[in-house]
Each structure stands twice: as C-alpha cells, then as structure tokens.
Amino acid sequence: MPDRKSRLKLAKRLDEVGFSEIVNVRNRVMALRAAGEIVHGFHGGEPFFDTPDAVKYAMTRALAENKTRYAPSSGIEPLRAALAAKLAGKNKIDAGVDDVLVTSGGAHALYVAFQAVLDPGDDVLLFSPFWTPIREMINGAQARPLLVPTAAARRHGLTATLETMATPETRAIYYNTPQNPAGTVFTREEAMEVAAFAKKRDLIVIADEAYEDLVYEGEHVSIASLPGMAERTISTYTFSKSYGMTGWRVGYLAAKEPFMTGLRKLVLYSVNGVSTPSQWAALEALSLTEQDFAARSGQYRERRDLLVSGLNEIGLPCETPAGAFYAFPRVDSIHKESRKAAEILLEKARVATIPGTVFGAQGEGHLRFGYATSIETIHSGLEALRRFLKGGL
Ligand SMILES: Cc1ncc(COP(=O)(O)O)c(C=O)c1O
C-alpha cells in the first residue's frame, strides 16, 4: 500500500496541470508515417517556409566569432535595442531598451508573465477557444481561468460580457490577437473596450501577439499602444511564426515596472538567458522588411482561401479567419464530439487535425486545420476528405 505520508510525490501545484493533446496527435501522425502511411497533415502550427538563409548565416557567424559565452540573462543589448525600436515603430508601444526581455520563445514569455503576476486564488479572464497551454500555465500558477466565449462576446459586446464574467478575484486578462485556434482578429474598437475594462477594474493584461504579422483582414492593434495601457500590459512576442524559427526558441516581451524586475528574476532562474548565438541570429531576422512580410502574407492568404473554400464546398462550414494560419470549421456532421471527429478523419481519410475541444469548451464541434503547409497538401487533404465524405460516414 502506498505510504500516504511519502514525500516522493510531485508538488501540489502540478495537480491541475495537464499535458498538451496536440503533442499526442503529432506523435500518432509520426507513428503512422513511420509505418509507411501517407497522412495529410493539418495538425501543425509551424510556418511552411524555412528559416531565412541570412538568419542561418548570422548564427554561423556568431559561432565563428566565438559569441558563445554567457550573455546578460535579459538578452544581449543590441537585440534588446533593436526590439525596443521595433516595438516603438511597428507596435506603437512606448518601450525603451530596459522594457524588453528576451525569452526562450513566446511560450516562455507567457509562462514568466503568468508566474510574475498571479497569486494562488486569482482569476484570469481567458477568451475561448484559446491556445491550450494558456489554461495549464494559469493552473500552474494556482490561479483559475475564467472562459469568456469569444464569438458570443463579440456579438453581445465585449464590455457587457467581461462585466458578467469578472469576479472580485480577477487579476488579469489574457488577450490574444490574431487568435489561435479560430483566427479571430480583434478590431481597434474591441481592443479599446478591453483596455477600458482593464483600466476600470485595475487589471493586468497579458497580450499574446505571436501572430502579429499574419493579418489578412483588418489591422493588428497592440493593446499596450492604447493610452494608459503600457504600464498594465505584458506584451509577448515570438520569432517562431513571423520568421520560420520555431526550433530556435527565441521570443521576447515588453513590460514596465513593477513587473519587469520579477520577470527578469524568472528568466534568470529558469534559463539564465537565451542561447547567445541564437540571439545574434534573431537580431539579423529583424532586418527583414515589411515587403518580405507582405509577400509571405500573400502566400498564407492563398492557402487560407483554398482551404476555406474547399471545406465549405464539401460541407464543413467554415468562417474565413481574419488572421493567424488556422481554419476552424464545424464538423458535427462527422461526429458531435470533436475528439471522435478527429479520430474518424485520421483513421478513415488519413487527414490529421486537432479536436476543437482541446481549445476549451467553446471549441467543441470544430476541428482546427493548420494551413501553414504546402498547396499540394491542402489539395490532397481536401481530396481525401471529399472522397471520404462522399463515401458516407
Ligand atoms: C497563440 C500562441 N501564442 C504563443 C505561441 C508560442 O510560440 P513559441 O513558443 O514557439 O514562440 C504559440 C505557438 O503555437 C501560439 O499559438
């Protein structure tokens, strides 16, 4: 019988923290492919293009120049200075070099943000469906995620919805635009509503701008650029999606005091700074121009339009997402439980997707199709779906 007093057990705060189901799908697809099966992969969340050569050469240069030693744990000065200039110019955020912290990807920026501002028993407003790890990060800080249904809130008014959902314990709002998984892009007016609500209730905003360069309709508004918001917002970014650098693990955040001191401590004691040569390479990535982004954006739009029109045509109703690189069709005609629907499509049509339910209750009845893939994959995946749906369920 296990000794109830045994100390060989995990810390309690991990009790409520789950693993990512997205990883389970990825593993299943890898196993199928290893067994020689052809799988039409829409489960991923990685750009379809490789890291630009200039960035790879910058890494090699850094290695040749022995830029391989400890860097300041908050990031190398030239990178922080370039990021501050980018934040001020492109995002219109009032940020100086000391307001920028380099992190190990956007995930790490978000992790330290939640750890820095949440106490046990706090509540966090979380627009749902949401990127799955966010709930686990909030749980891991022993706080409680309060799911705000995005689509309903946009119909009924964000302020009214946030008013009904907020509790006296509410400390923060997680604000992700463009959103994963539904591709929602909040408008400037919506950003202003959320900002006004945060100010009225004295809340902190954790703004996740991982997909800032992937907006096809409307504009990307950094909530920290709105009046009075920079001091209450921790804005998080990543090199992963904009620059095809998912494996490099470089991201950053912008914040003011009193948060910055705590955030610096958390980066210091978690990773003691991001890999030095990777930071020099990231600096090179920042020299990509707006034309480069526009060209990329056109390629994504082409993929989006192809996939969304194909899904609608075969009977999986799908709104046109305004940003990011995911489509989120309704699939209750396949099965009302999205987990089952995803299983059926993988087994019967060899089409890999992510069940909507893993992105929160509001995602149920949907599947997430990532379209950051080749045009051929989109064609062949749609063809496989068409054949399967024609054949009857
Ligand atoms: C909404 C959102 N935020 C942040 C990230 C973090 O990305 P990374 O840790 O690769 O920088 C992702 C990655 O999928 C994401 O979808």
Side-chain angles (χ1 to χ4, degrees), residues 105-107 110 131 176 180 208 210-211 238 240-241 249:
L110 289 159
W131 185 48
N176 172 217
N180 177 3
D208 180 350
Y211 298 94
T238 175
S240 291
K241 316 288 175 176
R249 312 309 305 133

Side-chain angles (χ1 to χ4, degrees), residues 45-46 104-110 130-131 133-134 174 176 178-181 208-211 236-241 245-247 249-251 325-326 368:
E46 300 202 56
S104 185
H108 185 220
L110 289 159
F130 53 86
W131 185 48
I134 299 300
Y174 168 75
N176 172 217
Q179 265 185 353
N180 177 3
D208 180 350
E209 307 192 18
Y211 298 94
T236 68
Y237 302 87
T238 175
F239 282 79
S240 291
K241 316 288 175 176
M245 291 175 65
T246 44
R249 312 309 305 133
V250 188
F325 45 50
Y326 307 102
R368 191 189 76 175

Side-chain angles (χ1 to χ4, degrees), residues 166-388:
T167 61
E169 286 72 39
T170 301
R171 181 84 169 262
I173 307 177
Y174 168 75
Y175 183 74
N176 172 217
T177 185
Q179 265 185 353
N180 177 3
T184 305
V185 174
F186 284 118
T187 63
R188 179 172 291 275
E189 289 67 35
E190 287 172 327
M192 286 163 66
E193 276 195 61
V194 174
F197 183 78
K199 283 191 279 188
K200 184 174 150 208
R201 296 279 187 128
D202 196 22
L203 303 178
I204 297 161
V205 175
I206 296 179
D208 180 350
E209 307 192 18
Y211 298 94
E212 63 172 334
D213 293 308
L214 295 171
V215 176
Y216 315 107
E217 269 98 43
E219 56 171 335
H220 175 68
V221 178
S222 296
I223 196 165
S225 69
L226 301 178
M229 287 305 290
E231 64 255 39
R232 63 174 66 250
T233 305
I234 302 176
S235 307
T236 68
Y237 302 87
T238 175
F239 282 79
S240 291
K241 316 288 175 176
S242 299
Y243 302 100
M245 291 175 65
T246 44
W248 293 66
R249 312 309 305 133
V250 188
Y252 55 102
L253 61 79
K256 303 276 185 202
E257 292 297 359
F259 307 123
M260 201 39 138
T261 301
L263 292 161
R264 282 214 187 92
K265 288 181 194 169
L266 286 157
V267 170
L268 171 62
Y269 296 125
S270 55
V271 296
N272 190 12
V274 172
S275 143
T276 308
S278 297
Q279 292 194 57
W280 287 102
L283 178 60
E284 178 66 37
L286 289 177
S287 58
L288 249 74
T289 62
E290 283 306 316
Q291 282 96 306
D292 295 321
F293 285 121
R296 205 66 91 196
S297 180
Q299 293 171 313
Y300 276 117
R301 183 193 290 269
E302 185 189 355
R303 286 159 171 74
R304 176 195 71 162
D305 293 346
L306 183 63
L307 177 64
V308 170
S309 63
L311 290 171
N312 280 308
E313 185 225 312
I314 59 180
L316 300 179
C318 185
E319 281 179 29
T320 303
F325 45 50
Y326 307 102
F328 206 54
R330 286 210 69 83
V331 292
D332 19 23
S333 58
I334 297 171
H335 200 287
K336 66 178 181 355
E337 286 171 40
S338 57
R339 260 196 200 92
K340 291 264 167 51
E343 248 170 61
I344 292 170
L345 290 191
L346 187 56
E347 289 313 315
K348 303 264 171 66
R350 290 287 185 253
V351 168
T353 59
I354 307 291
T357 185
V358 314
F359 306 102
Q362 286 72 18
E364 187 52 303
H366 295 256
L367 289 179
R368 191 189 76 175
F369 283 69
Y371 58 81
T373 181
S374 67
I375 297 278
E376 295 72 48
T377 300
I378 299 177
H379 277 302
S380 67
L382 284 170
E383 194 41 46
L385 284 174
R386 202 171 282 126
R387 255 183 281 125
F388 166 67

